[in-house]
Amino acid sequence: SDTMLMLTKSMFAIMIGFLGAVILGLFLVPALKRWKVGQRISVFVGENHRKKEGTPTMGGFIFIIPTLLATLFLLATDRMSYTSNLGIVLVVFIGYAIIGFLDDYLSIKKKGNEGLTEFQKLVAQIIIALIFFYMYMKNGGQTALVVSTLGIHIEMGWVYGLFILFILVGASNAVNLTDGLDGLAGGLSAIAFIAFSLISMVVGFEDMGIFTFILTGALLGFLVYNTHPAKIFMGDTGSLALGGVMGAIAILTHRELTLAVVAGVFIAETLADILQVFWITVFKKKLFLMAPLHHHFEKLGWEERDIVKLFWVVGLILAMGGIFFGVWL
């Protein structure tokens, strides 16, 4: 039956993503160590983090490369059909990965914690978002925000372009901010992508469902090397690519509001950061002990592993809510 075929394809996609990442990690982790592609740790974080100085970064390649290769393999063997939506997703995925790679590369070269400036990063992110919008409109994308069961149908016209910009740049930065503890951003992203894989498959976007399942598998493979104590960090190479593609899939499956549920932990991390800056600027005092949110829990004396577990559990509950929301709406 169709359901059985879909299930088989999904399992196969997760499996090749996972195996690809685990195998690549075996070679890439020692290679990055040899090339001294070490992470510089910010001077503002606690003593526990100072020990991580020199852990290889740019680990995002462990899930980016297998995801791209597996997608090409499935397309070449006709196990997956090429659609304009898939093309757009790949452009965003590769585009944001390149921005992240440049950022990581420059910060290693400068031997500091700063790669691209915030402004350069933002401009590059906006350029990819504009390319996305151009491709989206060229392929007959709708410019309305639709949530059928809630009776929402808002025609936004060109404002939808700004909305897309906000989602893509916001999502890529949110994952980037969350990437501060071993396994945190990787695990939360895998959970969020499982939700989007299932939603995509059910609501008729099989191409993106399969792509997202491959990415989920590759992220689980990456976590083999990234859970505490991490042998490698994903770096901006990974975090910007993950956030960008998460935003892109939410837009292309017309599940923009579902993203707000599924990515709830990423949003909370980002809001904590924004509120902290606002509080310090306006009230001249901190709202949180430290932002983003995971550092606040660290300052309260929580163990890194416990914070990650808590955030994963919250992410899982939100993902379940998001599947319900995304499939029924």
Side-chain angles (χ1 to χ4, degrees):
S1 71
D2 284 353
T3 318
M4 205 59 218
L5 184 65
M6 226 153 72
L7 197 64
T8 313
K9 281 181 175 178
S10 308
M11 291 301 138
F12 184 66
I14 287 186
M15 197 177 68
I16 56 172
F18 178 77
L19 290 174
V22 170
I23 293 163
L24 181 60
L26 290 174
F27 298 99
L28 199 59
V29 175
L32 289 170
K33 267 199 168 128
R34 271 201 310 279
W35 300 330
K36 302 213 177 349
V37 183
Q39 175 76 25
R40 299 278 161 177
I41 303 295
S42 163
V43 287
F44 302 111
V45 292
E47 207 32 60
N48 290 351
H49 286 267
R50 305 297 297 162
K51 300 198 286 268
K52 299 180 182 186
E53 183 87 43
T55 303
T57 185
M58 289 194 195
F61 284 123
I62 292 179
F63 54 81
I64 292 167
I65 294 168
T67 301
L68 293 173
L69 290 177
T71 304
L72 290 173
F73 168 73
L74 291 182
L75 286 169
T77 53
D78 282 340
R79 285 185 173 86
M80 184 177 180
S81 48
Y82 180 80
T83 61
S84 55
N85 278 346
L86 183 63
I88 296 172
V89 166
L90 291 172
V91 166
V92 170
F93 192 48
I94 296 165
Y96 278 106
I98 291 169
I99 300 169
F101 168 72
L102 286 173
D103 194 34
D104 287 336
Y105 176 74
L106 289 171
S107 68
I108 290 156
K109 215 171 153 60
K110 292 179 189 167
K111 298 201 180 342
N113 202 22
E114 239 353 277
L116 295 169
T117 64
E118 290 302 317
F119 180 70
Q120 287 169 330
K121 212 191 281 191
L122 188 65
V123 169
Q125 287 173 309
I126 289 171
I127 289 168
I128 305 287
L130 289 171
I131 293 169
F132 174 102
F133 187 54
Y134 171 75
M135 290 176 76
Y136 176 77
M137 292 312 291
K138 211 168 149 44
N139 290 306
Q142 64 173 37
T143 53
L145 181 63
V146 181
V147 188
S148 42
T149 33
L150 297 181
I152 296 174
H153 189 291
I154 308 164
E155 181 48 63
M156 296 170 78
W158 63 270
V159 179
Y160 193 75
L162 292 177
F163 185 53
I164 282 180
L165 202 77
F166 172 73
I167 291 177
L168 288 182
V169 176
S172 68
N173 285 323
V175 178
N176 189 233
L177 275 175
T178 307
D179 183 31
L181 299 179
D182 297 354
L184 181 61
L188 283 169
S189 297
I191 291 165
F193 282 124
I194 283 180
F196 272 111
S197 310
L198 293 168
I199 293 166
S200 301
M201 291 301 245
V202 173
V203 300
F205 293 95
E206 193 184 282
D207 51 336
M208 283 188 291
I210 292 174
F211 171 82
T212 318
F213 271 125
I214 298 169
L215 180 54
T216 304
L219 273 167
L220 295 173
F222 168 71
L223 284 172
V224 169
Y225 304 100
N226 180 243
T227 41
H228 188 76
K231 296 178 187 66
I232 193 162
F233 300 137
M234 69 167 73
D236 285 13
T237 308
S239 60
L240 293 181
L242 289 177
V245 94
M246 204 182 290
I249 287 167
I251 296 161
L252 293 168
T253 52
H254 311 302
R255 294 294 180 280
E256 302 93 341
L257 294 183
T258 306
L259 180 67
V261 183
V262 173
V265 179
F266 293 115
I267 292 168
E269 289 264 27
T270 311
L271 286 176
D273 212 50
I274 294 166
L275 283 170
Q276 182 84 321
V277 174
F278 175 77
W279 231 255
I280 292 168
T281 313
V282 176
F283 304 113
K284 305 284 179 268
K285 63 176 185 186
K286 291 178 172 179
L287 176 62
F288 300 99
L289 296 174
M290 190 172 173
L293 204 53
H294 53 265
H295 289 316
H296 174 74
F297 282 93
E298 277 194 300
K299 294 280 184 198
L300 287 172
W302 283 47
E303 284 291 321
E304 181 168 352
R305 276 198 177 112
D306 294 336
I307 301 167
V308 172
K309 274 185 215 153
L310 171 72
F311 280 40
W312 279 7
V313 170
V314 174
L316 196 58
I317 293 164
L318 288 169
M320 289 191 246
I323 292 167
F324 178 75
F325 189 71
V327 170
W328 291 97
L329 298 191

